[in-house]
Amino acid sequence: MISQADIVLYIIDSLSQESSARHDFFKKLKPGSKTYYVYNKIDLVSDYEKSRIKAQNPDALLISAETKEGLDSLESSLVEYVENKLPVHETEILTKTRHYNAILKSYEFITHARESIEQGYSSEFIALDLRSALDSMGQLTGYVTSDDILNNIFSNFCVGK
């Protein structure tokens, strides 16, 4: 599994004298993967020992599973790494014609609703186009939204009868 991992948490017992650089399994790491050296049981070592660990490995994360010390830093580091790895612009690939058609139909309905707004058409017509757009997307996602969403959108409009 380590050869497939994007992130590796290498947990080291702070009380042991083991060196994190001595392990063969680091040769098995996936190229480009991120390894976090996490020293646990930090609540049981002296401040001098904490300084020594940080001097040897400035990127080391010091935690205590017992007292929860440092867990926020670990979580923040992981979240920051993952957020920085996410692509800025995601591109989705549609593999089924049905999906493409549903998105295309939804886009057409939204475009028509926008044009209706610009031309000052009645909100009933706009609501109908938006409902149709939602229904088209519902075919793609398998979920069709309730009337509450449209009611919420048009709650500020005066709809004549």
Side-chain angles (χ1 to χ4, degrees), residues 4 7 14-15 17-18 24 29 44 54 72-73 78 84 89 91-92 99 105 108-110 121 127 150 153-155 157:
Q4 298 172 10
I7 300 173
S14 295
L15 298 174
Q17 299 299 318
E18 121 185 52
D24 294 337
L29 287 175
L44 301 176
K54 286 300 249 182
D72 288 342
S73 293
L78 292 171
N84 289 332
H89 299 290
T91 303
E92 297 296 330
H99 296 167
K105 269 218 171 290
E108 289 170 1
F109 283 121
I110 290 170
Y121 286 174
L150 284 178
I153 291 171
F154 290 101
S155 65
F157 289 98

Side-chain angles (χ1 to χ4, degrees), residues 59-74:
D59 294 330
L61 297 167
L62 309 178
I63 70 162
S64 169
E66 178 75 22
T67 66
K68 311 294 187 234
E69 177 185 350
L71 291 181
D72 288 342
S73 293
L74 174 59

Side-chain angles (χ1 to χ4, degrees), residues 6-7 32-34 78-88:
D6 293 314
I7 300 173
S33 66
K34 173 70 174 168
L78 292 171
V79 167
E80 180 181 340
Y81 177 78
V82 170
E83 286 179 345
N84 289 332
K85 286 301 224 180
L86 292 175
V88 176

Side-chain angles (χ1 to χ4, degrees), residues 2 7 13 18-19 25 27 30 33 46 53-54 61 73 81 91 95 109 111 119 126 130 134 139 141 149 152 161:
I2 198 167
I7 300 173
D13 184 338
E18 121 185 52
S19 170
F25 86 117
K27 296 174 188 172
K30 174 180 162 182
S33 66
S46 67
I53 291 170
K54 286 300 249 182
L61 297 167
S73 293
Y81 177 78
T91 303
T95 58
F109 283 121
T111 301
Q119 293 177 9
I126 299 165
L130 291 176
L134 288 171
Q139 292 173 10
T141 63
I149 292 176
N152 188 25
K161 303 253 177 195

